[in-house]
Amino acid sequence: MTAAYSLSDGGLDDRVPFLARLESEDRSALLALGVALTFAPRMVVVHQNEPSSHVLLIVRGWTKVTASAANGYEALLALRGPGDIIGESSALTGRPRSATVTALEQVGAVAVEREGFTDFLNGSPAVSFALLGLTSDRTRTADQRRLEFASMSVRERLAALLLDLARTHGQRTEAGIELSLPLSKQELAGSVGASREMVQRLLKELRDRGAVSTGRRTLLIMRPDILRRIGRSGV
């Protein structure tokens, strides 16, 4: 999943990760430029506003991308997983990090220093165009998300988000669809632009209706039809 989501059953273009857009030779050559790193669950990978400019290519595991406002509110901007690239904006512009990236589970990544990355792009037009296409897809997705936020209630946004998580990170069990990513209520709230208290209340409503079952960083979707109905009509 990315934090942007849609009520449609189709995926968004930005879900195709960067490494999957490259030819195998280019992918291998880029990965060979870096150093392999491992991050433990809940470990911060990069900090918002820090001056580092290397890029990270995720090989395994999932991360969350968050940004904090001046009043302390933390928004969940995206989830990045295998094949995704992190930190390309700072590498290209030299500006401080625009967001914090945190490992949600054990993450394996390859770190490529800015100079090596930009030199590689200069010598590889196909890779440069792939990165440009990814940037364009992410921008379009962010624009679509803002449009949905403006036209949907928090209840509708949460239902749509849960459906999207079920589609992209769901594991089917006898009881329902279990979300494989350990997202907290605060992280769900940060993804739909609401308070933790509001999301907690909405999840209780969904539990009472038999749509979901929740635990500590666990969520089971038992009635996706209810979520789809809420997403379409808000009830």
Side-chain angles (χ1 to χ4, degrees):
M1 181 202 87
T2 63
Y5 50 84
S6 172
L7 287 175
S8 69
D9 289 333
L12 293 170
D13 290 342
D14 80 311
R15 291 192 179 118
V16 180
F18 176 60
L19 292 180
R21 298 171 184 241
L22 307 184
E23 297 292 336
S24 59
E25 291 183 0
D26 288 332
R27 184 165 56 247
S28 298
L30 179 57
L31 289 170
L33 294 177
V35 177
L37 301 174
T38 301
F39 302 93
R42 297 291 155 177
M43 182 176 179
V44 174
V45 176
V46 296
H47 291 268
Q48 185 176 351
N49 298 321
E50 74 177 14
S52 65
S53 58
H54 62 279
V55 299
L56 286 168
L57 303 166
I58 302 178
V59 177
R60 64 181 182 279
W62 284 86
T63 66
K64 65 172 182 174
V65 182
T66 59
S68 298
N71 64 0
Y73 182 79
E74 184 178 85
L76 177 61
L77 303 179
L79 299 175
R80 302 290 184 225
D84 277 322
I85 184 171
I86 293 172
E88 72 280 1
S89 177
S90 292
L92 295 175
T93 66
R95 295 174 181 170
R97 302 294 189 187
S98 60
T100 294
V101 180
T102 307
L104 289 173
E105 54 192 2
Q106 182 161 305
V107 169
V110 173
V112 180
E113 292 299 327
R114 179 190 182 193
E115 183 176 350
F117 180 66
T118 54
D119 285 348
F120 187 81
L121 292 180
N122 286 332
S124 307
V127 177
S128 297
F129 277 112
L131 184 60
L132 180 62
L134 175 66
T135 301
S136 176
D137 289 340
R138 286 179 176 177
T139 299
R140 184 171 62 249
T141 296
D143 289 343
Q144 177 64 27
R145 187 189 187 207
R146 283 192 290 269
L147 176 61
E148 291 178 348
F149 267 40
S151 62
M152 298 165 69
S153 67
V154 175
R155 177 179 284 100
E156 292 167 329
R157 296 200 296 266
L158 180 61
L161 173 63
L162 294 179
L163 285 172
D164 195 67
L165 285 171
R167 183 169 57 248
T168 57
H169 296 286
Q171 298 177 345
R172 290 195 175 274
T173 68
E174 292 184 359
I177 303 173
E178 183 177 359
L179 301 188
S180 59
L181 284 181
L183 293 176
S184 67
K185 293 181 180 65
Q186 182 60 57
E187 288 161 347
L188 292 174
S191 186
V192 298
S195 67
R196 183 182 185 279
E197 292 73 22
M198 171 65 81
V199 166
Q200 193 164 352
R201 181 171 65 80
L202 291 175
L203 286 174
K204 182 180 183 304
E205 289 181 10
L206 292 174
R207 288 196 302 270
D208 292 344
R209 295 175 67 174
V212 304
S213 173
T214 61
R216 181 173 174 79
R217 296 190 187 280
T218 62
L219 195 149
L220 181 71
I221 296 174
M222 299 175 293
R223 293 286 305 277
D225 59 308
I226 292 179
L227 297 179
R228 283 192 289 269
R229 188 160 61 246
I230 292 172
R232 287 193 297 267
S233 62
V235 297

